[in-house]
């Protein structure tokens, strides 16, 4: 993940506000982190939490896809997901590019696989 | 703008599990490519023409805090900007899935770019030559931040300026691929994506490409 804001020229501090909370430090989730439910929804659970667990039961679902399907802004979805992760109810498959040190997000092997994949669609 | 955030036709209902294909259970590494461009330039069309799911739409909200944030009297001066964007995906193999994002290129949406571009393979700047100036900002920003990109001129009706004219108008470096496309067809959109990935490979390993050239 590149922590350096692309918008360095903008002196204004931009930040997300999500019910008083915001993401911080290594608690960031990429838009395409893949989420897998580790648990069934329980009665009495916050309804958004339950809906997330239902959607990513069995197959992984990207953060941004959960956001679209549950019609919640991305920033709100991320906070809900961090809650669930802290409760141990989901696991997160972070994209390998999150660990990439530079703007070049993929190595040659990955790029080759992307080409093969694209050529077959 | 805000009213466009959730196109009822584009999003699935929460109850309806997956209108399209779910990801494979083995999917573990998601990659990103971003398509940027002005309003109506064909971003959603391009995403949809290659995606394995119908493009989904969502939004991100950003609160811009005024300088007087610590002054309770000025809390009201905070402004919220909402940006809608859409995306689709292509499963590449058992583990890798490529997400394609369509994002507006205007300056006021830059805060979204930060999230989209973090970890992205690269970008496609989609251009309508009738409104070429709309992509100046995107091209400048991408160059300033060393994000690799290609430029695709979407073919709309009417006169089409030659590509070398477009290259001049955008002051594009010779090394940056510039292609024409029709975002409505899968083959054409696919070929733009392939152009981008070849370009990325070339940037990674310029010697490999030079060997092929006579
Ligand atoms: N002739 C022609 N029309 C196109 C092409 N690509 C898209 N269109 C049409 O242009 C219109 C706008 O396309 P969209 O894909 O919605 O554009 P967009 O960039 O997502 O637009 P916004 O999200 O509103 O900014 C649609 O009616 C498309 O059918 C193309 O290559 N040629
Ligand atoms: Mg669109």
């Amino acid at each position: 993940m590149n922590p350096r804001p692309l918008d360095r020229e903008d002196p204004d501090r931009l930040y997300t506000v999500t019910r008083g909370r915001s993401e911080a430090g290594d608690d960031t989730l990429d838009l395409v982190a893949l989420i897998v439910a580790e648990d069934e929804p329980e009665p009495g659970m916050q309804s958004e939490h339950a809906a997330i667990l239902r959607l990513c039961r069995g197959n992984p679902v990207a953060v941004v896809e959960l956001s679209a399907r549950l019609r919640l802004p991305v920033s709100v979805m991320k906070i809900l997901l961090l809650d669930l992760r802290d409760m141990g109810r989901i696991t997160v498959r972070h994209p390998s590019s999150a660990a990439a040190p530079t703007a070049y997000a993929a190595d040659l092997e990955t790029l080759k696989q992307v080409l093969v994949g694209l050529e077959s669609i | 703008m805000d009213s466009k955030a959730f196109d009822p036709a584009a999003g699935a209902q929460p109850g309806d599990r997956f209108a399209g294909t779910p990801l494979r259970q083995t999917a573990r590494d998601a990659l990103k490519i971003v398509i940027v461009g002005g309003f109506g330039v064909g971003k959603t069309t391009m995403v949809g023409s290659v995606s394995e799911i119908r493009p989904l739409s969502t939004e991100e909200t950003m609160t811009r805090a005024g300088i007087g944030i610590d002054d309770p009297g000025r809390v009201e001066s905070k402004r919220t900007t909402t940006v809608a964007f859409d995306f689709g995906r292509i499963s590449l193999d058992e583990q890798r899935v490529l997400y394609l994002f369509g994002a507006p290129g205007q300056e006021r949406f830059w805060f979204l770019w930060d999230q989209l571009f973090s970890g992205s393979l690269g970008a496609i700047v989609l251009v309508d030559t009738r409104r070429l100036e709309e992509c100046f900002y995107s091209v400048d920003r991408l160059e300033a931040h060393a994000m690799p990109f290609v430029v695709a001129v979407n073919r709309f009706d009417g006169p089409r300026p030659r590509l070398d004219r477009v290259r001049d108008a955008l002051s594009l470096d010779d090394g940056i691929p510039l292609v024409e496309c029709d975002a409505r067809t899968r083959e054409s959109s696919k070929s733009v994506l392939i152009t981008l990935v070849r370009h990325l490979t070339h940037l990674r390993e310029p010697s490999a490409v030079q060997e092929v050239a006579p």
Side-chain angles (χ1 to χ4, degrees):
Chain A
M1 174 120 6
N2 179 3
R4 181 170 45 91
L6 290 174
D7 201 7
R8 274 176 303 178
E9 292 86 347
D10 189 345
D12 286 354
R13 213 168 128 244
L14 298 169
Y15 63 96
T16 55
V17 175
T18 313
R19 284 186 253 134
R21 290 178 295 165
S22 63
E23 295 182 275
D26 44 51
D27 254 1
T28 48
L29 284 178
D30 196 277
L31 283 173
V32 297
L34 301 178
I35 307 300
V36 187
E38 294 297 332
D39 235 341
E40 295 294 317
E42 275 170 20
M45 202 177 226
Q46 189 180 334
S47 66
E48 292 86 1
H49 284 164
I52 292 168
L53 292 181
R54 274 192 295 274
L55 276 174
C56 47
R57 187 161 49 190
N59 299 76
V61 184
V63 171
V64 72
E65 211 161 321
L66 289 168
S67 157
R69 295 196 187 273
L70 295 176
R71 295 170 185 242
L72 291 168
V74 169
S75 50
V76 173
M77 180 51 65
K78 287 184 178 179
I79 299 300
L80 295 168
L81 289 170
L82 291 173
D83 288 345
L84 285 168
R85 185 205 55 188
D86 292 345
M87 293 186 269
R89 292 180 181 274
I90 58 165
T91 47
V92 181
R93 299 177 183 174
H94 296 283
S96 61
S97 66
T102 64
Y104 295 102
D107 55 28
L108 276 173
E109 180 53 33
T110 302
L111 290 175
K112 202 155 62 177
Q113 291 311 316
V114 174
L115 260 187
V116 170
L118 282 175
E119 265 152 8
S120 71
I121 66 169
Chain B
M1 236 297 297
D2 287 7
S3 61
K4 285 189 60 188
F6 294 113
D7 171 9
Q13 293 304 314
D16 131 31
R17 193 172 181 280
F18 270 30
T21 341
L23 284 182
R24 293 172 190 169
Q25 284 183 2
T26 48
R28 58 175 48 265
D29 192 12
L31 307 161
K32 288 185 267 195
I33 285 177
V34 185
I35 300 165
V36 288
F39 288 122
V41 74
K43 303 178 294 291
T44 306
T45 304
M46 180 174 270
V47 169
S49 69
V50 287
S51 173
E52 67 197 20
I53 55 171
R54 202 145 43 111
L56 290 169
S57 161
T58 189
E59 62 178 34
E60 182 58 305
T61 305
M62 193 59 50
T63 300
R64 182 187 285 267
I67 290 163
I69 183 76
D70 294 328
D71 172 358
R74 292 212 37 201
V75 168
E76 262 76 46
S77 74
K78 276 197 275 180
R79 282 183 301 123
T80 297
T81 307
T82 299
V83 55
F85 62 100
D86 46 29
F87 62 93
R89 61 167 144 85
I90 301 168
S91 292
L92 297 168
D93 56 32
E94 289 304 310
Q95 296 187 359
R96 296 187 183 93
V97 52
L98 174 63
Y99 277 83
L100 299 175
F101 289 93
Q106 290 80 357
E107 184 166 5
R108 66 184 179 287
F109 299 130
W110 186 264
F111 67 84
L112 174 73
W113 289 37
D114 191 16
Q115 272 203 68
L116 287 179
F117 282 117
S118 142
S120 274
L121 300 180
I124 294 165
V125 178
L126 199 54
V127 172
D128 176 349
T129 49
R130 296 168 302 184
R131 292 169 296 157
L132 202 56
E133 65 289 346
E134 283 188 3
C135 67
F136 289 166
Y137 181 77
S138 309
V139 167
D140 280 354
R141 273 304 171 97
L142 292 169
E143 282 180 338
H145 294 284
M147 173 58 63
F149 66 97
V150 300
V151 179
V153 174
N154 206 1
R155 289 192 203 114
F156 286 94
D157 302 330
R160 292 182 206 143
R162 281 169 31 197
L163 283 185
D164 54 349
R165 294 278 175 78
V166 177
R167 185 178 289 281
D168 283 349
L170 295 178
S171 316
L172 270 194
D173 192 282
D174 281 345
I176 297 173
L178 171 64
V179 294
E180 273 198 323
C181 71
D182 183 332
R184 296 167 298 181
T185 73
R186 166 173 284 219
E187 278 311 308
S188 182
S189 298
K190 175 178 157 178
S191 115
V192 175
L193 284 166
I194 289 174
T195 302
L196 173 64
V197 179
R198 292 226 171 97
H199 178 55
L200 298 172
T201 308
H202 175 73
L203 291 174
R204 267 293 168 121
E205 201 183 46
S207 58
V209 177
Q210 274 154 23
E211 277 165 29
V212 176

